[in-house]
Amino acid sequence: MSMSPAELDVILLSLKVALWCVGISLLPALFIAWLLARREFYGKTALNVLVHLPIVLPPVVVGYFLLVLLGNRGVIGAWLLDHFGISLIFNWKGVVAATAVMAFPFITRAIRQAIEAVDQNLEVAALTLGRSPAMVFLTITLPLIIPGILAGITLGFARALGEFGATITFVANIPGETQTLPLAIYTLLQTPDAETAVWRLVIISVVLAFAAIALSEWLTRRSNRRLGGSV
């Protein structure tokens, strides 16, 4: 039941991609969540729809859009390649891009709900006492939404681990380069006498997802206890 070097590579790549996905998505998601929760502006509905589209669109469609936009001949991809030598096709960076797009709505939604749950009277009171909006956010809003941020991080991490359709459409299924856990399981399912390897990767996927959720729950409870003690 020991893992092969190829299976270990798949696991490490999946964790690497999921961590990068959350890392590059968190700050933009925090900003968009605050914007949607606390500001009224023209085009708010359109922005909200755009943010949540990856949830309802088939992942293959999202992958195709990524290919059109971020491919080496795409509008953005060609610019990145010409000016910075960055190519997102057929490598792990493209996997990060695909997973980030698919996970972004989950991170944003969790944080937005946390912001909306914060009593705005606390923020208004701080503003009337001379605090700047930035300081109000950093000292009042942000500490209160930490559980929501942790929930968003967990959802984003788990979504990145489970992403399949957009990834395989955008960057293909290349062992050692773009093959994450779902893609490796898909490949093994089509391989004769590979049931044992399939079960290993399936169990590992469940364990990773369970561990991420359990860690988030523990951190959330700890954060809530600290917030309760500071009131």
Side-chain angles (χ1 to χ4, degrees):
M1 290 294 291
S2 60
M3 290 186 295
S4 68
E7 291 169 348
L8 184 60
D9 287 343
V10 166
I11 296 168
L12 293 177
L13 177 61
S14 299
L15 292 173
K16 175 183 177 180
V17 166
L19 289 172
W20 269 96
C21 166
V22 172
I24 67 173
S25 299
L26 185 57
L27 287 180
L30 183 60
F31 174 72
I32 295 297
W34 174 83
L35 201 62
L36 292 173
R38 287 291 189 258
R39 290 290 181 266
E40 294 296 331
F41 53 91
Y42 181 77
K44 179 177 178 178
T45 300
L47 176 61
N48 189 42
V49 170
L50 182 63
V51 167
H52 290 90
L53 266 181
I55 295 179
V56 295
L57 281 176
V60 173
V61 174
V62 177
Y64 176 74
F65 281 134
L66 289 173
L67 192 61
V68 171
L69 292 174
L70 300 179
N72 290 342
R73 296 183 180 180
V75 178
I76 301 174
W79 181 79
L80 289 174
L81 185 61
D82 292 341
H83 290 80
F84 302 101
I86 298 175
S87 174
L88 299 178
I89 295 294
F90 308 134
N91 59 62
W92 71 271
K93 300 182 188 69
V95 184
V96 172
T99 56
V101 169
M102 297 301 296
F104 190 80
F106 296 92
I107 303 174
T108 303
R109 189 171 183 84
I111 298 175
R112 178 184 178 181
Q113 290 174 340
I115 295 174
E116 290 174 340
V118 174
D119 187 354
Q120 292 191 57
N121 290 326
L122 297 174
E123 300 170 333
V124 172
L127 288 170
T128 59
L129 293 174
R131 295 277 186 94
S132 67
M135 286 303 298
V136 170
F137 179 80
L138 291 174
T139 60
I140 295 177
T141 310
L142 186 60
L144 292 174
I145 66 172
I146 287 176
I149 292 175
L150 294 175
I153 289 174
T154 302
L155 288 172
F157 184 84
R159 184 66 186 86
L161 283 178
E163 164 51 32
F164 177 82
T167 300
I168 199 171
T169 305
F170 180 44
V171 292
N173 182 10
I174 306 173
E177 288 290 338
T178 67
Q179 191 177 80
T180 54
L181 275 167
L183 275 66
I185 293 171
Y186 172 76
T187 300
L188 289 171
L189 285 172
Q190 303 176 72
T191 304
D193 302 321
E195 289 186 10
T196 301
V198 170
W199 271 110
R200 275 199 299 266
L201 294 185
V202 167
I203 291 171
I204 289 168
S205 298
V206 173
V207 169
L208 288 174
F210 182 88
I213 295 172
L215 178 61
S216 173
E217 288 295 319
W218 179 76
L219 291 172
T220 299
R221 287 197 299 269
R222 186 173 180 181
S223 174
N224 285 334
R225 285 198 297 269
R226 286 185 175 181
L227 289 173
S230 64
V231 174

